[in-house]
Amino acid sequence: MSGCLFCQIAQGERPSHTIFAGDGEMAFLDIFPCAPGHTLVIPRQHYATLSDMPPEEVGRLFQAAAMVAAKVQGALGAAGFNLGINNGKAAGQEVFHVHIHIIPRYPGDGGGSMKSVAHFKGKENLEAIAAKLRPAFASP
Ligand code: AMP
Ligand code: ZN
């Protein structure tokens, strides 16, 4: 898609620190890393968000991300990693070409878990929420 930063990277029209170049997916270093080795994994084809992707492509993207994350962790001697997607503006998405963040984690790096991305302090009625959600999974 013309004007898309990550399409330009995928097509080699914009420089990137690419570490993995597959046919359908690729991985490159985040230009503003929040940890050493912070990596982004993208499909070469343009989809704005995860919700726009066909399921088979989602599968391939996550397989690539798991493979890249394991290699990044091993090569950098990280102790673990967070893997996540900012899906939609409300979730902090800034580049609307779907990408998975791999954030290597190191002992004492001061970061939190994925639960630190939101700060809900209320009390949920879990059964009421579950009852609201289950119909979405019922077969037609
Ligand atoms: P998000 O908020 O999930 O859309 O994150 C977009 C990410 O892309 C941010 O972490 C940016 O640092 C990163 N980013 C933006 N431009 C580039 C670029 N040209 N090369 C690599 N990473 C980039
Ligand atoms: Zn794109």
PDB file of all heavy atoms in Angstrom, residues 6 19-20 22 24-30 38-44 53 60-69 72 83-85 97-103:
ATOM      1  N   PHE A   6       5.612   0.344   6.616  1.00  0.00           N
ATOM      2  CA  PHE A   6       6.073  -1.051   6.686  1.00  0.00           C
ATOM      3  C   PHE A   6       5.951  -1.754   5.339  1.00  0.00           C
ATOM      4  O   PHE A   6       6.727  -2.673   5.060  1.00  0.00           O
ATOM      5  CB  PHE A   6       5.345  -1.802   7.800  1.00  0.00           C
ATOM      6  CG  PHE A   6       5.788  -1.382   9.198  1.00  0.00           C
ATOM      7  CD1 PHE A   6       5.192  -1.929  10.337  1.00  0.00           C
ATOM      8  CD2 PHE A   6       6.803  -0.448   9.384  1.00  0.00           C
ATOM      9  CE1 PHE A   6       5.598  -1.548  11.608  1.00  0.00           C
ATOM     10  CE2 PHE A   6       7.216  -0.056  10.658  1.00  0.00           C
ATOM     11  CZ  PHE A   6       6.607  -0.613  11.775  1.00  0.00           C
ATOM     12  N   ILE A  19      16.389  -8.776  10.146  1.00  0.00           N
ATOM     13  CA  ILE A  19      17.109  -9.943  10.688  1.00  0.00           C
ATOM     14  C   ILE A  19      16.550 -11.241  10.137  1.00  0.00           C
ATOM     15  O   ILE A  19      17.182 -12.279  10.229  1.00  0.00           O
ATOM     16  CB  ILE A  19      17.100  -9.961  12.242  1.00  0.00           C
ATOM     17  CG1 ILE A  19      15.671 -10.009  12.800  1.00  0.00           C
ATOM     18  CG2 ILE A  19      17.858  -8.745  12.788  1.00  0.00           C
ATOM     19  CD1 ILE A  19      15.638 -10.304  14.306  1.00  0.00           C
ATOM     20  N   PHE A  20      15.342 -11.200   9.583  1.00  0.00           N
ATOM     21  CA  PHE A  20      14.746 -12.404   8.985  1.00  0.00           C
ATOM     22  C   PHE A  20      13.911 -11.962   7.789  1.00  0.00           C
ATOM     23  O   PHE A  20      13.091 -11.042   7.893  1.00  0.00           O
ATOM     24  CB  PHE A  20      13.855 -13.132  10.006  1.00  0.00           C
ATOM     25  CG  PHE A  20      12.947 -14.161   9.383  1.00  0.00           C
ATOM     26  CD1 PHE A  20      13.468 -15.355   8.891  1.00  0.00           C
ATOM     27  CD2 PHE A  20      11.573 -13.944   9.277  1.00  0.00           C
ATOM     28  CE1 PHE A  20      12.633 -16.299   8.292  1.00  0.00           C
ATOM     29  CE2 PHE A  20      10.739 -14.880   8.687  1.00  0.00           C
ATOM     30  CZ  PHE A  20      11.263 -16.066   8.195  1.00  0.00           C
ATOM     31  N   GLY A  22      11.570 -13.817   5.186  1.00  0.00           N
ATOM     32  CA  GLY A  22      10.889 -14.973   4.610  1.00  0.00           C
ATOM     33  C   GLY A  22      10.070 -14.535   3.407  1.00  0.00           C
ATOM     34  O   GLY A  22      10.009 -13.351   3.074  1.00  0.00           O
ATOM     35  N   GLY A  24       6.751 -14.737   3.051  1.00  0.00           N
ATOM     36  CA  GLY A  24       5.510 -14.064   3.437  1.00  0.00           C
ATOM     37  C   GLY A  24       5.645 -13.134   4.617  1.00  0.00           C
ATOM     38  O   GLY A  24       4.813 -12.249   4.825  1.00  0.00           O
ATOM     39  N   GLU A  25       6.682 -13.350   5.452  1.00  0.00           N
ATOM     40  CA  GLU A  25       6.858 -12.551   6.663  1.00  0.00           C
ATOM     41  C   GLU A  25       8.300 -12.091   6.747  1.00  0.00           C
ATOM     42  O   GLU A  25       9.186 -12.697   6.162  1.00  0.00           O
ATOM     43  CB  GLU A  25       6.549 -13.383   7.937  1.00  0.00           C
ATOM     44  CG  GLU A  25       5.121 -13.829   8.081  1.00  0.00           C
ATOM     45  CD  GLU A  25       4.782 -15.035   7.205  1.00  0.00           C
ATOM     46  OE1 GLU A  25       5.694 -15.826   6.916  1.00  0.00           O
ATOM     47  OE2 GLU A  25       3.622 -15.169   6.796  1.00  0.00           O
ATOM     48  N   MET A  26       8.519 -11.041   7.497  1.00  0.00           N
ATOM     49  CA  MET A  26       9.893 -10.598   7.744  1.00  0.00           C
ATOM     50  C   MET A  26       9.992  -9.975   9.128  1.00  0.00           C
ATOM     51  O   MET A  26       8.962  -9.646   9.748  1.00  0.00           O
ATOM     52  CB  MET A  26      10.348  -9.604   6.671  1.00  0.00           C
ATOM     53  CG  MET A  26       9.618  -8.287   6.689  1.00  0.00           C
ATOM     54  SD  MET A  26      10.172  -7.152   5.389  1.00  0.00           S
ATOM     55  CE  MET A  26      11.829  -6.720   5.945  1.00  0.00           C
ATOM     56  N   ALA A  27      11.215  -9.846   9.613  1.00  0.00           N
ATOM     57  CA  ALA A  27      11.433  -9.268  10.943  1.00  0.00           C
ATOM     58  C   ALA A  27      12.582  -8.280  10.870  1.00  0.00           C
ATOM     59  O   ALA A  27      13.593  -8.527  10.198  1.00  0.00           O
ATOM     60  CB  ALA A  27      11.758 -10.371  11.946  1.00  0.00           C
ATOM     61  N   PHE A  28      12.403  -7.145  11.545  1.00  0.00           N
ATOM     62  CA  PHE A  28      13.448  -6.112  11.574  1.00  0.00           C
ATOM     63  C   PHE A  28      13.424  -5.450  12.939  1.00  0.00           C
ATOM     64  O   PHE A  28      12.433  -5.544  13.688  1.00  0.00           O
ATOM     65  CB  PHE A  28      13.249  -5.083  10.449  1.00  0.00           C
ATOM     66  CG  PHE A  28      11.859  -4.493  10.375  1.00  0.00           C
ATOM     67  CD1 PHE A  28      11.536  -3.343  11.066  1.00  0.00           C
ATOM     68  CD2 PHE A  28      10.874  -5.120   9.611  1.00  0.00           C
ATOM     69  CE1 PHE A  28      10.254  -2.807  11.000  1.00  0.00           C
ATOM     70  CE2 PHE A  28       9.584  -4.589   9.541  1.00  0.00           C
ATOM     71  CZ  PHE A  28       9.275  -3.436  10.234  1.00  0.00           C
ATOM     72  N   LEU A  29      14.527  -4.773  13.262  1.00  0.00           N
ATOM     73  CA  LEU A  29      14.628  -4.153  14.586  1.00  0.00           C
ATOM     74  C   LEU A  29      13.769  -2.905  14.655  1.00  0.00           C
ATOM     75  O   LEU A  29      13.696  -2.120  13.689  1.00  0.00           O
ATOM     76  CB  LEU A  29      16.088  -3.803  14.883  1.00  0.00           C
ATOM     77  CG  LEU A  29      17.057  -4.990  14.948  1.00  0.00           C
ATOM     78  CD1 LEU A  29      18.458  -4.506  15.308  1.00  0.00           C
ATOM     79  CD2 LEU A  29      16.583  -6.039  15.957  1.00  0.00           C
ATOM     80  N   ASP A  30      13.117  -2.724  15.800  1.00  0.00           N
ATOM     81  CA  ASP A  30      12.345  -1.506  16.037  1.00  0.00           C
ATOM     82  C   ASP A  30      13.324  -0.327  16.134  1.00  0.00           C
ATOM     83  O   ASP A  30      14.336  -0.389  16.837  1.00  0.00           O
ATOM     84  CB  ASP A  30      11.544  -1.645  17.338  1.00  0.00           C
ATOM     85  CG  ASP A  30      10.475  -0.572  17.481  1.00  0.00           C
ATOM     86  OD1 ASP A  30      10.839   0.633  17.572  1.00  0.00           O
ATOM     87  OD2 ASP A  30       9.293  -0.914  17.519  1.00  0.00           O
ATOM     88  N   HIS A  38      14.696  -5.385  20.543  1.00  0.00           N
ATOM     89  CA  HIS A  38      13.260  -5.172  20.259  1.00  0.00           C
ATOM     90  C   HIS A  38      13.043  -5.323  18.747  1.00  0.00           C
ATOM     91  O   HIS A  38      13.617  -4.593  17.941  1.00  0.00           O
ATOM     92  CB  HIS A  38      12.868  -3.774  20.738  1.00  0.00           C
ATOM     93  CG  HIS A  38      11.420  -3.427  20.568  1.00  0.00           C
ATOM     94  ND1 HIS A  38      10.889  -2.265  21.076  1.00  0.00           N
ATOM     95  CD2 HIS A  38      10.384  -4.051  19.958  1.00  0.00           C
ATOM     96  CE1 HIS A  38       9.604  -2.198  20.795  1.00  0.00           C
ATOM     97  NE2 HIS A  38       9.269  -3.272  20.093  1.00  0.00           N
ATOM     98  N   THR A  39      12.210  -6.270  18.389  1.00  0.00           N
ATOM     99  CA  THR A  39      12.040  -6.679  16.988  1.00  0.00           C
ATOM    100  C   THR A  39      10.575  -6.600  16.592  1.00  0.00           C
ATOM    101  O   THR A  39       9.679  -6.837  17.422  1.00  0.00           O
ATOM    102  CB  THR A  39      12.552  -8.132  16.834  1.00  0.00           C
ATOM    103  OG1 THR A  39      13.954  -8.162  17.137  1.00  0.00           O
ATOM    104  CG2 THR A  39      12.336  -8.690  15.438  1.00  0.00           C
ATOM    105  N   LEU A  40      10.332  -6.287  15.331  1.00  0.00           N
ATOM    106  CA  LEU A  40       8.965  -6.292  14.793  1.00  0.00           C
ATOM    107  C   LEU A  40       8.865  -7.362  13.715  1.00  0.00           C
ATOM    108  O   LEU A  40       9.767  -7.499  12.880  1.00  0.00           O
ATOM    109  CB  LEU A  40       8.627  -4.925  14.182  1.00  0.00           C
ATOM    110  CG  LEU A  40       8.751  -3.727  15.124  1.00  0.00           C
ATOM    111  CD1 LEU A  40       8.492  -2.422  14.357  1.00  0.00           C
ATOM    112  CD2 LEU A  40       7.793  -3.838  16.304  1.00  0.00           C
ATOM    113  N   VAL A  41       7.793  -8.130  13.747  1.00  0.00           N
ATOM    114  CA  VAL A  41       7.543  -9.154  12.729  1.00  0.00           C
ATOM    115  C   VAL A  41       6.299  -8.740  11.958  1.00  0.00           C
ATOM    116  O   VAL A  41       5.256  -8.438  12.577  1.00  0.00           O
ATOM    117  CB  VAL A  41       7.328 -10.542  13.372  1.00  0.00           C
ATOM    118  CG1 VAL A  41       7.174 -11.618  12.296  1.00  0.00           C
ATOM    119  CG2 VAL A  41       8.478 -10.890  14.300  1.00  0.00           C
ATOM    120  N   ILE A  42       6.400  -8.709  10.637  1.00  0.00           N
ATOM    121  CA  ILE A  42       5.260  -8.246   9.820  1.00  0.00           C
ATOM    122  C   ILE A  42       4.961  -9.240   8.696  1.00  0.00           C
ATOM    123  O   ILE A  42       5.861  -9.952   8.245  1.00  0.00           O
ATOM    124  CB  ILE A  42       5.519  -6.853   9.185  1.00  0.00           C
ATOM    125  CG1 ILE A  42       6.685  -6.905   8.175  1.00  0.00           C
ATOM    126  CG2 ILE A  42       5.776  -5.801  10.248  1.00  0.00           C
ATOM    127  CD1 ILE A  42       6.775  -5.664   7.279  1.00  0.00           C
ATOM    128  N   PRO A  43       3.707  -9.249   8.234  1.00  0.00           N
ATOM    129  CA  PRO A  43       3.442  -9.922   6.965  1.00  0.00           C
ATOM    130  C   PRO A  43       3.882  -8.967   5.852  1.00  0.00           C
ATOM    131  O   PRO A  43       3.756  -7.753   6.012  1.00  0.00           O
ATOM    132  CB  PRO A  43       1.915 -10.095   6.969  1.00  0.00           C
ATOM    133  CG  PRO A  43       1.412  -8.970   7.813  1.00  0.00           C
ATOM    134  CD  PRO A  43       2.497  -8.639   8.813  1.00  0.00           C
ATOM    135  N   ARG A  44       4.391  -9.516   4.761  1.00  0.00           N
ATOM    136  CA  ARG A  44       4.801  -8.617   3.666  1.00  0.00           C
ATOM    137  C   ARG A  44       3.587  -7.937   3.054  1.00  0.00           C
ATOM    138  O   ARG A  44       3.648  -6.808   2.587  1.00  0.00           O
ATOM    139  CB  ARG A  44       5.561  -9.398   2.599  1.00  0.00           C
ATOM    140  CG  ARG A  44       6.950  -9.814   3.062  1.00  0.00           C
ATOM    141  CD  ARG A  44       7.711 -10.465   1.931  1.00  0.00           C
ATOM    142  NE  ARG A  44       9.033 -10.896   2.381  1.00  0.00           N
ATOM    143  CZ  ARG A  44      10.108 -10.109   2.409  1.00  0.00           C
ATOM    144  NH1 ARG A  44      10.028  -8.855   2.024  1.00  0.00           N
ATOM    145  NH2 ARG A  44      11.269 -10.581   2.826  1.00  0.00           N
ATOM    146  N   MET A  53      -6.857  -9.658   9.026  1.00  0.00           N
ATOM    147  CA  MET A  53      -6.101 -10.738   8.379  1.00  0.00           C
ATOM    148  C   MET A  53      -6.907 -12.018   8.272  1.00  0.00           C
ATOM    149  O   MET A  53      -7.586 -12.404   9.222  1.00  0.00           O
ATOM    150  CB  MET A  53      -4.840 -11.057   9.188  1.00  0.00           C
ATOM    151  CG  MET A  53      -3.796  -9.988   9.166  1.00  0.00           C
ATOM    152  SD  MET A  53      -2.317 -10.516  10.057  1.00  0.00           S
ATOM    153  CE  MET A  53      -1.555 -11.543   8.820  1.00  0.00           C
ATOM    154  N   ARG A  60       0.379 -18.068  10.063  1.00  0.00           N
ATOM    155  CA  ARG A  60       1.761 -17.974   9.551  1.00  0.00           C
ATOM    156  C   ARG A  60       2.542 -16.861  10.256  1.00  0.00           C
ATOM    157  O   ARG A  60       3.711 -17.016  10.571  1.00  0.00           O
ATOM    158  CB  ARG A  60       1.747 -17.735   8.035  1.00  0.00           C
ATOM    159  CG  ARG A  60       1.457 -19.015   7.240  1.00  0.00           C
ATOM    160  CD  ARG A  60       1.840 -18.846   5.780  1.00  0.00           C
ATOM    161  NE  ARG A  60       0.897 -17.995   5.075  1.00  0.00           N
ATOM    162  CZ  ARG A  60      -0.203 -18.451   4.474  1.00  0.00           C
ATOM    163  NH1 ARG A  60      -0.476 -19.736   4.487  1.00  0.00           N
ATOM    164  NH2 ARG A  60      -1.019 -17.629   3.851  1.00  0.00           N
ATOM    165  N   LEU A  61       1.843 -15.750  10.530  1.00  0.00           N
ATOM    166  CA  LEU A  61       2.510 -14.622  11.198  1.00  0.00           C
ATOM    167  C   LEU A  61       2.957 -15.025  12.608  1.00  0.00           C
ATOM    168  O   LEU A  61       4.081 -14.744  13.031  1.00  0.00           O
ATOM    169  CB  LEU A  61       1.568 -13.413  11.251  1.00  0.00           C
ATOM    170  CG  LEU A  61       2.137 -12.151  11.904  1.00  0.00           C
ATOM    171  CD1 LEU A  61       3.359 -11.626  11.137  1.00  0.00           C
ATOM    172  CD2 LEU A  61       1.072 -11.052  11.992  1.00  0.00           C
ATOM    173  N   PHE A  62       2.079 -15.727  13.338  1.00  0.00           N
ATOM    174  CA  PHE A  62       2.444 -16.128  14.698  1.00  0.00           C
ATOM    175  C   PHE A  62       3.534 -17.204  14.699  1.00  0.00           C
ATOM    176  O   PHE A  62       4.384 -17.233  15.587  1.00  0.00           O
ATOM    177  CB  PHE A  62       1.207 -16.575  15.487  1.00  0.00           C
ATOM    178  CG  PHE A  62       0.570 -15.418  16.197  1.00  0.00           C
ATOM    179  CD1 PHE A  62      -0.332 -14.591  15.548  1.00  0.00           C
ATOM    180  CD2 PHE A  62       0.909 -15.112  17.505  1.00  0.00           C
ATOM    181  CE1 PHE A  62      -0.889 -13.487  16.198  1.00  0.00           C
ATOM    182  CE2 PHE A  62       0.357 -14.017  18.165  1.00  0.00           C
ATOM    183  CZ  PHE A  62      -0.548 -13.208  17.507  1.00  0.00           C
ATOM    184  N   GLN A  63       3.504 -18.079  13.706  1.00  0.00           N
ATOM    185  CA  GLN A  63       4.584 -19.073  13.610  1.00  0.00           C
ATOM    186  C   GLN A  63       5.917 -18.372  13.390  1.00  0.00           C
ATOM    187  O   GLN A  63       6.926 -18.718  14.016  1.00  0.00           O
ATOM    188  CB  GLN A  63       4.329 -20.026  12.449  1.00  0.00           C
ATOM    189  CG  GLN A  63       3.394 -21.155  12.829  1.00  0.00           C
ATOM    190  CD  GLN A  63       3.283 -22.197  11.725  1.00  0.00           C
ATOM    191  OE1 GLN A  63       4.109 -22.259  10.817  1.00  0.00           O
ATOM    192  NE2 GLN A  63       2.255 -23.003  11.805  1.00  0.00           N
ATOM    193  N   ALA A  64       5.916 -17.383  12.497  1.00  0.00           N
ATOM    194  CA  ALA A  64       7.151 -16.638  12.235  1.00  0.00           C
ATOM    195  C   ALA A  64       7.594 -15.917  13.505  1.00  0.00           C
ATOM    196  O   ALA A  64       8.781 -15.935  13.864  1.00  0.00           O
ATOM    197  CB  ALA A  64       6.939 -15.648  11.093  1.00  0.00           C
ATOM    198  N   ALA A  65       6.656 -15.315  14.203  1.00  0.00           N
ATOM    199  CA  ALA A  65       7.000 -14.558  15.419  1.00  0.00           C
ATOM    200  C   ALA A  65       7.588 -15.473  16.495  1.00  0.00           C
ATOM    201  O   ALA A  65       8.576 -15.115  17.152  1.00  0.00           O
ATOM    202  CB  ALA A  65       5.772 -13.827  15.944  1.00  0.00           C
ATOM    203  N   ALA A  66       7.006 -16.651  16.656  1.00  0.00           N
ATOM    204  CA  ALA A  66       7.518 -17.585  17.673  1.00  0.00           C
ATOM    205  C   ALA A  66       8.930 -18.025  17.312  1.00  0.00           C
ATOM    206  O   ALA A  66       9.815 -18.124  18.182  1.00  0.00           O
ATOM    207  CB  ALA A  66       6.583 -18.786  17.800  1.00  0.00           C
ATOM    208  N   MET A  67       9.159 -18.280  16.038  1.00  0.00           N
ATOM    209  CA  MET A  67      10.485 -18.713  15.577  1.00  0.00           C
ATOM    210  C   MET A  67      11.511 -17.588  15.784  1.00  0.00           C
ATOM    211  O   MET A  67      12.591 -17.806  16.337  1.00  0.00           O
ATOM    212  CB  MET A  67      10.365 -19.112  14.098  1.00  0.00           C
ATOM    213  CG  MET A  67      11.644 -19.558  13.420  1.00  0.00           C
ATOM    214  SD  MET A  67      12.648 -18.214  12.800  1.00  0.00           S
ATOM    215  CE  MET A  67      11.677 -17.637  11.411  1.00  0.00           C
ATOM    216  N   VAL A  68      11.137 -16.386  15.355  1.00  0.00           N
ATOM    217  CA  VAL A  68      12.065 -15.250  15.473  1.00  0.00           C
ATOM    218  C   VAL A  68      12.342 -14.950  16.950  1.00  0.00           C
ATOM    219  O   VAL A  68      13.496 -14.720  17.350  1.00  0.00           O
ATOM    220  CB  VAL A  68      11.508 -13.989  14.752  1.00  0.00           C
ATOM    221  CG1 VAL A  68      12.359 -12.767  15.041  1.00  0.00           C
ATOM    222  CG2 VAL A  68      11.423 -14.233  13.242  1.00  0.00           C
ATOM    223  N   ALA A  69      11.306 -14.990  17.771  1.00  0.00           N
ATOM    224  CA  ALA A  69      11.469 -14.668  19.201  1.00  0.00           C
ATOM    225  C   ALA A  69      12.440 -15.642  19.865  1.00  0.00           C
ATOM    226  O   ALA A  69      13.311 -15.225  20.644  1.00  0.00           O
ATOM    227  CB  ALA A  69      10.116 -14.704  19.899  1.00  0.00           C
ATOM    228  N   VAL A  72      15.953 -14.737  18.677  1.00  0.00           N
ATOM    229  CA  VAL A  72      16.421 -13.475  19.270  1.00  0.00           C
ATOM    230  C   VAL A  72      16.825 -13.722  20.725  1.00  0.00           C
ATOM    231  O   VAL A  72      17.898 -13.305  21.180  1.00  0.00           O
ATOM    232  CB  VAL A  72      15.330 -12.378  19.166  1.00  0.00           C
ATOM    233  CG1 VAL A  72      15.667 -11.179  20.038  1.00  0.00           C
ATOM    234  CG2 VAL A  72      15.146 -11.940  17.707  1.00  0.00           C
ATOM    235  N   LEU A  83       5.646 -10.806  23.837  1.00  0.00           N
ATOM    236  CA  LEU A  83       5.250 -10.792  22.438  1.00  0.00           C
ATOM    237  C   LEU A  83       3.864 -10.173  22.397  1.00  0.00           C
ATOM    238  O   LEU A  83       2.970 -10.609  23.120  1.00  0.00           O
ATOM    239  CB  LEU A  83       5.224 -12.252  21.978  1.00  0.00           C
ATOM    240  CG  LEU A  83       5.105 -12.530  20.504  1.00  0.00           C
ATOM    241  CD1 LEU A  83       6.015 -13.684  20.146  1.00  0.00           C
ATOM    242  CD2 LEU A  83       3.686 -12.896  20.189  1.00  0.00           C
ATOM    243  N   GLY A  84       3.705  -9.105  21.622  1.00  0.00           N
ATOM    244  CA  GLY A  84       2.401  -8.444  21.684  1.00  0.00           C
ATOM    245  C   GLY A  84       2.083  -7.602  20.470  1.00  0.00           C
ATOM    246  O   GLY A  84       2.959  -7.264  19.663  1.00  0.00           O
ATOM    247  N   ILE A  85       0.804  -7.287  20.372  1.00  0.00           N
ATOM    248  CA  ILE A  85       0.306  -6.463  19.265  1.00  0.00           C
ATOM    249  C   ILE A  85      -0.488  -5.312  19.854  1.00  0.00           C
ATOM    250  O   ILE A  85      -1.366  -5.531  20.700  1.00  0.00           O
ATOM    251  CB  ILE A  85      -0.622  -7.290  18.351  1.00  0.00           C
ATOM    252  CG1 ILE A  85       0.154  -8.440  17.706  1.00  0.00           C
ATOM    253  CG2 ILE A  85      -1.261  -6.410  17.285  1.00  0.00           C
ATOM    254  CD1 ILE A  85      -0.674  -9.290  16.774  1.00  0.00           C
ATOM    255  N   HIS A  97       0.029  -1.100   9.806  1.00  0.00           N
ATOM    256  CA  HIS A  97       0.386  -2.304   9.046  1.00  0.00           C
ATOM    257  C   HIS A  97       0.692  -3.299  10.152  1.00  0.00           C
ATOM    258  O   HIS A  97       1.638  -3.087  10.931  1.00  0.00           O
ATOM    259  CB  HIS A  97       1.603  -2.036   8.149  1.00  0.00           C
ATOM    260  CG  HIS A  97       2.075  -3.232   7.366  1.00  0.00           C
ATOM    261  ND1 HIS A  97       2.299  -3.183   5.993  1.00  0.00           N
ATOM    262  CD2 HIS A  97       2.396  -4.490   7.743  1.00  0.00           C
ATOM    263  CE1 HIS A  97       2.715  -4.369   5.564  1.00  0.00           C
ATOM    264  NE2 HIS A  97       2.793  -5.185   6.623  1.00  0.00           N
ATOM    265  N   VAL A  98      -0.104  -4.348  10.244  1.00  0.00           N
ATOM    266  CA  VAL A  98      -0.031  -5.225  11.419  1.00  0.00           C
ATOM    267  C   VAL A  98       1.410  -5.678  11.687  1.00  0.00           C
ATOM    268  O   VAL A  98       2.158  -5.983  10.761  1.00  0.00           O
ATOM    269  CB  VAL A  98      -0.996  -6.434  11.252  1.00  0.00           C
ATOM    270  CG1 VAL A  98      -0.546  -7.370  10.170  1.00  0.00           C
ATOM    271  CG2 VAL A  98      -1.171  -7.171  12.559  1.00  0.00           C
ATOM    272  N   HIS A  99       1.776  -5.672  12.971  1.00  0.00           N
ATOM    273  CA  HIS A  99       3.122  -6.100  13.358  1.00  0.00           C
ATOM    274  C   HIS A  99       3.092  -6.651  14.771  1.00  0.00           C
ATOM    275  O   HIS A  99       2.331  -6.187  15.618  1.00  0.00           O
ATOM    276  CB  HIS A  99       4.122  -4.937  13.261  1.00  0.00           C
ATOM    277  CG  HIS A  99       3.671  -3.698  13.971  1.00  0.00           C
ATOM    278  ND1 HIS A  99       2.764  -2.809  13.434  1.00  0.00           N
ATOM    279  CD2 HIS A  99       3.987  -3.206  15.207  1.00  0.00           C
ATOM    280  CE1 HIS A  99       2.553  -1.826  14.290  1.00  0.00           C
ATOM    281  NE2 HIS A  99       3.273  -2.050  15.379  1.00  0.00           N
ATOM    282  N   ILE A 100       3.928  -7.641  14.993  1.00  0.00           N
ATOM    283  CA  ILE A 100       4.059  -8.235  16.326  1.00  0.00           C
ATOM    284  C   ILE A 100       5.367  -7.739  16.930  1.00  0.00           C
ATOM    285  O   ILE A 100       6.422  -7.847  16.314  1.00  0.00           O
ATOM    286  CB  ILE A 100       4.060  -9.775  16.257  1.00  0.00           C
ATOM    287  CG1 ILE A 100       2.755 -10.274  15.627  1.00  0.00           C
ATOM    288  CG2 ILE A 100       4.257 -10.376  17.646  1.00  0.00           C
ATOM    289  CD1 ILE A 100       2.631 -11.784  15.570  1.00  0.00           C
ATOM    290  N   HIS A 101       5.258  -7.173  18.122  1.00  0.00           N
ATOM    291  CA  HIS A 101       6.459  -6.745  18.846  1.00  0.00           C
ATOM    292  C   HIS A 101       7.047  -7.947  19.587  1.00  0.00           C
ATOM    293  O   HIS A 101       6.313  -8.671  20.278  1.00  0.00           O
ATOM    294  CB  HIS A 101       6.109  -5.705  19.924  1.00  0.00           C
ATOM    295  CG  HIS A 101       5.677  -4.373  19.393  1.00  0.00           C
ATOM    296  ND1 HIS A 101       6.516  -3.281  19.352  1.00  0.00           N
ATOM    297  CD2 HIS A 101       4.497  -3.945  18.897  1.00  0.00           C
ATOM    298  CE1 HIS A 101       5.864  -2.232  18.866  1.00  0.00           C
ATOM    299  NE2 HIS A 101       4.630  -2.611  18.575  1.00  0.00           N
ATOM    300  N   ILE A 102       8.347  -8.113  19.458  1.00  0.00           N
ATOM    301  CA  ILE A 102       9.068  -9.071  20.308  1.00  0.00           C
ATOM    302  C   ILE A 102       9.974  -8.224  21.189  1.00  0.00           C
ATOM    303  O   ILE A 102      10.851  -7.501  20.683  1.00  0.00           O
ATOM    304  CB  ILE A 102       9.931 -10.040  19.469  1.00  0.00           C
ATOM    305  CG1 ILE A 102       9.043 -10.915  18.578  1.00  0.00           C
ATOM    306  CG2 ILE A 102      10.797 -10.910  20.388  1.00  0.00           C
ATOM    307  CD1 ILE A 102       9.826 -11.681  17.521  1.00  0.00           C
ATOM    308  N   ILE A 103       9.723  -8.274  22.480  1.00  0.00           N
ATOM    309  CA  ILE A 103      10.513  -7.464  23.421  1.00  0.00           C
ATOM    310  C   ILE A 103      11.309  -8.407  24.317  1.00  0.00           C
ATOM    311  O   ILE A 103      10.748  -9.027  25.235  1.00  0.00           O
ATOM    312  CB  ILE A 103       9.587  -6.541  24.247  1.00  0.00           C
ATOM    313  CG1 ILE A 103       8.778  -5.643  23.282  1.00  0.00           C
ATOM    314  CG2 ILE A 103      10.403  -5.699  25.229  1.00  0.00           C
ATOM    315  CD1 ILE A 103       7.737  -4.786  23.952  1.00  0.00           C
TER     316      ILE A 103
END
